[in-house]
Amino acid sequence: MKLLRILGLAAVVGLSGCDGFTLDPDGGGGGGAGGTFSRGFVFVRGENSGRNLFAVDDNGDPNSPLRLTTQGNAYYPTVSRNGRSVAFVFRSGAASELRTVPTTGTGQPSTVFSSASTACSGCSNFRFPTFNPSGSTIVFTLDQGGYAKLARVNADGSSFQLLTNGSSYVYGAASYYPDGQYVLASAGYTTSQLNFLVKVGVATGSIDVVSFNLGNTAQVVATRPAVSPDGTKVAFDGRTSSGTQIFVALLGQTLTNVTQLTSHTGESGVQDTWPSWRGNTEVTFLSNAGSASNVYRISIATTGAGTLVVPIAQEPSYGGI
């Protein structure tokens, strides 16, 4: 599908001012009104209370996405591996709810867990949900007692558990390993300095440090690490002295061979964030290059600005792998 035919001349001119920018005629997709979704992106559009979720299938039109919610106040969507469900955070004032919604565009959101639940006294500020490979469990980040902690809950709302209770670290986003037994999470001693990665056991809460540094360039993780579907690599958005870029590294007992994937010649202060894997050799990400917020993809064998796949998006997640 040609992005040019719907984006409009003004939008295309504004976007194409980004150095290295390429319109991708085949890489994005969209279900559109009444469309279908099996594999692709879910993302947020709108500001403040108008934030809603939209799905864009790989085989559709990225300019006519399928709308999944209508109530607004949606944050941090994540797509299940089978592409059938989205977990996200709904906010109303200081209250947070972890919710799920089907990617069909015909179902209503269901509340999985609420910050008002007695199972987690004093919990607030839910964020960064991620499904396990089977879609039966969700790990997410919350605040309690001045600490940012990881928690897990079954997708049906049962068996809530604080995973990192009592840890001296604070935590950012997590990503499941393909075995479903562990998550890889950003961590640090303050939420503004999440500068290392830890492996956390989902059943036991065990914590093993994978790396106390993110390579010679990246300083802290901006939003999230993302484990590749085969479990051999991690992509993350690292803050640097010249903005935020996407990095990829080999993932084992330690972090090795850290490589910067994204760069923007002639443009400073670009924020490349929200990495997801599209298979094992391609990373997708959000970028504000050219003063617009769009989703791009890039092969891990290359370096550059990436290729546009979805325009006008926030907090994207790729699923249906």
Side-chain angles (χ1 to χ4, degrees):
M1 299 283 181
K2 296 292 184 181
L3 290 171
L4 286 170
R5 71 187 165 91
I6 299 179
L7 273 175
L9 179 61
V12 172
V13 170
L15 291 174
S16 60
C18 172
D19 184 62
F21 177 86
T22 304
L23 283 172
D24 182 11
D26 302 307
T36 60
F37 180 94
S38 60
R39 182 176 64 184
F41 295 93
V42 169
F43 55 94
V44 173
R45 274 186 181 166
E47 298 294 336
N48 303 317
S49 61
R51 295 170 58 99
N52 279 293
L53 301 185
F54 294 81
V56 176
D57 188 81
D58 274 351
N59 293 319
D61 182 351
N63 302 281
S64 183
L66 182 66
R67 186 166 180 164
L68 302 183
T69 67
T70 59
Q71 291 181 301
N73 296 300
Y75 295 80
Y76 312 117
T78 183
V79 192
S80 62
R81 185 157 295 196
N82 63 14
R84 297 175 184 171
S85 184
V86 177
F88 67 101
V89 172
F90 175 82
R91 289 181 174 171
S92 179
S96 298
E97 289 184 5
L98 182 63
R99 293 183 173 184
T100 59
V101 66
T103 54
T104 58
T106 58
Q108 292 297 314
S110 300
T111 298
V112 176
F113 192 76
S114 170
S115 59
S117 172
T118 57
C120 192
S121 178
C123 291
S124 64
N125 193 22
F126 293 179
R127 54 202 185 275
F128 305 130
T130 182
F131 279 108
N132 71 340
S134 69
S136 61
T137 301
I138 302 168
V139 165
F140 62 107
T141 308
L142 55 77
D143 291 344
Q144 185 195 50
Y147 283 86
K149 302 177 180 181
L150 294 181
R152 66 170 295 278
V153 66
N154 289 340
D156 63 5
S158 63
S159 301
F160 172 82
Q161 175 188 0
L162 285 171
L163 292 180
T164 58
N165 208 22
S167 170
S168 59
Y169 305 144
V170 294
Y171 296 86
S175 174
Y176 264 96
Y177 284 78
D179 63 6
Q181 302 301 308
Y182 298 91
V183 293
L184 183 74
S186 57
Y189 293 106
T190 68
T191 53
S192 62
Q193 292 291 322
L194 300 175
N195 55 358
F196 52 95
L197 300 176
V198 297
K199 186 176 182 179
V200 180
V202 176
T204 64
S206 62
I207 300 170
D208 295 307
V209 176
V210 172
S211 177
F212 277 113
N213 65 77
L214 303 173
N216 295 328
T217 304
Q219 299 163 1
V220 298
V221 176
T223 60
R224 67 185 178 203
V227 178
S228 62
D230 63 7
T232 64
K233 297 174 286 292
V234 59
F236 62 92
D237 48 351
R239 292 178 186 159
T240 72
S241 58
S242 58
T244 302
Q245 280 85 43
I246 304 299
F247 295 80
V248 66
L250 294 179
L251 186 59
Q253 295 298 318
T254 59
L255 198 68
T256 61
N257 296 345
V258 179
T259 302
Q260 181 177 326
L261 286 186
T262 62
S263 63
H264 301 269
T265 304
E267 190 173 7
S268 62
V270 173
Q271 305 299 311
D272 295 337
T273 54
W274 298 96
S276 291
W277 288 90
R278 193 178 186 222
N280 291 304
T281 61
E282 192 171 67
V283 174
T284 69
F285 60 98
L286 187 71
S287 181
N288 68 351
S291 301
S293 181
N294 306 293
V295 183
Y296 297 78
R297 63 179 177 87
I298 188 169
S299 166
I300 62 172
T302 63
T303 301
T307 301
L308 175 67
V309 285
V310 180
I312 314 172
Q314 300 175 67
E315 301 165 17
S317 172
Y318 189 87
I321 297 172

